[in-house]
Amino acid sequence: MTTERQSTGLERAARGIWVIVGFLVAVEFASGILQGYYTPIFSDLAAHLGVSDADLNWLEAGQLIVSALCVPPLARLGDLIGHKKVLLLATGLTAAATWWTVVAPDFGSFLVAWSIQGAYVIWLPLEVAIVHRRTNGDTALTRKAAGILVGALEISVIIGAVAAGALVGALPMAAILAIPALCVTAVFVVIALGIEPDRPTAATENSFDWAGLGVLTLVLGLVMAGLIGVRVLGAGSLLAWGLVVLGLAALWPFWKVEVRQSEPLIDVRLLVSRGQWPIQLTAFLFGMSVLGAQIPLSTFARTDPAVTGYGLGADASFVSMLIALYVITMALGAFTLPLWARGLGPMRSQAVACFLVALGYLMWLPFHGSTGQALLNMAVIGLGSGALVASLPAAAAAAAPASRTAFATGMTNATKTVGGAIASAVFAIALASTGSIGAEAKAPLSGYLTVWAVCGLAAAVAGALLLLARAAPADDTL
């Protein structure tokens, strides 16, 4: 009788989990809209804002650096006050920022709004933490739920890209920008009404690590200020490179501050543990391509070869199709990852995914002269990217203590966004000549070749490091 009651209770709990996952799917739908909607219209957005294609990379750099700064404190707050509360907070910030982009009068204002919009990157880690908590740490069930959420994300990326490609030219830019704002606002209501409150997973009396947040902000701020200085003042500027060096040097006091904290903002000891460091380093290197290369790929496709001698001369609808193919192959990579893991092992399967991303980007170097070549390149990249997007958060959660699941999953996004932010700033420099931001000009082909080479080499290094890392138990790595 007791066994039957326990079985019935587990079945009810499982059903409850899938109801929650259903609501979280709506959140990932909005996330996919934000990630796919703008890509086909970046060139139109540059014209709307009166800036060059290269300067659009500063939008991505700004958003990613804010995302990197948001994820650790928001993930920690999720453990301290409850994951639903923080999910609502992040969604409210994202909604407000997205509405701001609709009415922003100039590039500077738009850049601030776009950067704050980056709070959405905490959504998926918090969702995984919500599911992980309600399944009492059931790794297999968490992995299945994460796969569904990622699948919903990828489908909505396609929907967003196709919708934007169809609407550009048919509606004024303000109306086009209002559509994602409406989606995020609707999702705020869904979270408020559909997700039940959860209990904190860490002791609420623990103090928040303001010192760690301050030093982390200093590190990232100095590095990004230096990279902006290189863009504006030129590669020979000692001041610009001095800021970069100072930012990197500040990592040492950051480490010293964090190891002395009983409840650090970033648990550096956990990050360097055997189960975590390969995952987090892979996320950083992967972020350089999956986040940093979005705008360059879009603007290259929209560039007219009759004017510049390179580019695909595509319209927004073709870029939508390119994104659709990329996302479909991402879904294929995500859904077939368990088969790879059974055959190769968790860490080796992630290494293969990295090598596929590397191969796809390096293929861009010789093969960038036709739409067929672009489609093939993106299909290869998408297959590897999908496997990594699906596996990294679940792998981090499985390798973390119960009180640090939101932190561990959040850090995969944080390290990924730091990689993307640094890459976006570097790509902005590679794609533009020295001078003030805002000059309207087309980037040189050598800049695009640099983008693809950096993305390919970063992914290849990630794959090699995964193979060299000492293998941890399967449950700790995937």
Side-chain angles (χ1 to χ4, degrees):
M1 180 71 78
T2 302
T3 303
E4 288 178 2
R5 283 201 196 102
Q6 289 175 341
S7 177
T8 303
L10 289 173
E11 289 173 1
R12 280 202 202 99
R15 285 197 297 270
I17 287 299
W18 296 120
V19 170
I20 292 171
V21 170
F23 285 109
L24 295 178
V25 162
V27 182
E28 284 310 296
F29 179 85
S31 178
I33 294 296
L34 290 176
Q35 295 180 54
Y37 187 82
Y38 301 101
T39 306
I41 61 172
F42 274 130
S43 292
D44 306 282
L45 192 57
H48 172 70
L49 296 171
V51 297
S52 68
D53 288 348
D55 288 332
L56 287 177
N57 287 278
W58 293 111
L59 292 178
E60 205 69 4
Q63 185 176 99
L64 292 173
I65 207 68
V66 169
S67 298
L69 289 172
C70 279
V71 168
L74 290 178
R76 180 60 181 153
L77 282 175
D79 290 331
L80 287 173
I81 67 174
H83 302 129
K84 177 190 172 175
K85 290 180 181 177
V86 179
L87 186 58
L88 269 176
L89 172 64
T91 306
L93 283 172
T94 304
T98 308
W99 281 112
W100 187 355
T101 66
V102 179
V103 298
D106 53 38
F107 180 71
S109 180
F110 191 94
L111 174 59
V112 173
W114 184 274
S115 298
I116 296 172
Q117 190 187 56
Y120 81 87
V121 299
I122 194 62
W123 291 353
L124 183 58
L126 286 172
E127 291 159 23
V128 172
I130 287 170
V131 173
H132 191 265
R133 169 76 172 173
R134 283 167 173 77
T135 60
N136 294 317
D138 187 325
T139 302
L141 199 54
T142 302
R143 190 182 300 134
K144 289 178 183 177
I148 292 172
L149 293 173
V150 171
L153 166 67
E154 291 165 349
I155 291 170
S156 59
V157 168
I158 296 175
I159 293 171
V162 171
L167 292 173
V168 67
L171 293 176
M173 185 57 70
I176 292 173
L177 294 174
I179 291 174
L182 289 169
C183 291
V184 179
T185 304
V187 162
F188 181 87
V189 177
V190 168
I191 297 169
L193 299 179
I195 307 297
E196 62 184 20
D198 55 349
R199 292 175 307 195
T201 57
T204 54
E205 65 268 16
N206 292 326
S207 61
F208 191 84
D209 181 16
W210 292 107
L213 180 60
V215 181
L216 178 62
T217 302
L218 178 66
V219 169
L220 295 177
L222 286 170
V223 171
M224 294 304 296
L227 292 174
I228 292 172
V230 173
R231 163 68 174 92
V232 176
L233 302 175
S237 171
L238 294 178
L239 173 62
W241 288 113
L243 290 172
V244 173
V245 171
L246 283 175
L248 295 175
L251 286 171
W252 175 247
F254 173 72
W255 175 278
K256 299 297 287 185
V257 167
E258 293 303 88
V259 295
R260 285 198 292 263
Q261 297 286 337
S262 59
E263 292 294 337
L265 176 69
I266 295 182
D267 190 340
V268 291
R269 288 193 178 95
L270 178 62
L271 288 184
V272 299
S273 65
R274 187 180 66 175
Q276 286 291 330
W277 79 259
I279 300 166
Q280 303 297 342
L281 183 56
T282 297
F284 173 82
L285 294 168
F286 175 50
M288 299 182 78
S289 60
V290 75
L291 299 176
Q294 290 183 8
I295 290 177
L297 287 170
S298 175
T299 56
F300 179 85
R302 295 291 301 274
T303 299
D304 186 355
V307 175
T308 62
Y310 68 87
L312 302 179
D315 57 14
S317 61
F318 172 79
V319 178
S320 299
M321 184 173 67
L322 192 66
I323 295 168
L325 174 68
Y326 172 62
V327 173
I328 289 169
T329 55
M330 281 186 72
L332 182 61
F335 290 134
T336 59
L337 178 64
L339 300 177
W340 304 14
R342 278 198 292 271
L344 299 171
M347 192 168 288
R348 286 194 185 93
S349 64
Q350 287 181 329
V352 168
C354 289
F355 290 135
L356 283 172
V357 173
L359 174 63
Y361 274 105
L362 294 177
M363 285 169 61
W364 274 101
L365 297 176
F367 305 124
H368 55 260
S370 70
T371 56
Q373 291 173 346
L375 291 169
L376 176 61
N377 298 344
M378 294 308 296
V380 175
I381 294 167
L383 192 63
S385 297
L388 290 172
V389 168
S391 67
L392 292 174
S403 64
R404 288 305 227 174
T405 53
F407 166 78
T409 56
M411 281 308 298
T412 62
N413 264 20
T415 53
K416 185 168 65 177
T417 51
V418 169
I422 293 173
S424 292
V426 171
F427 297 162
I429 296 167
L431 292 169
S433 58
T434 302
S436 61
I437 294 174
E440 297 188 52
K442 292 298 180 183
L445 176 59
S446 61
Y448 287 106
L449 296 176
T450 300
V451 170
W452 299 326
V454 169
C455 291
L457 292 175
V461 169
L465 289 174
L466 284 172
L467 292 179
L468 292 173
R470 186 171 63 179
D475 285 344
D476 291 338
T477 55
L478 186 62

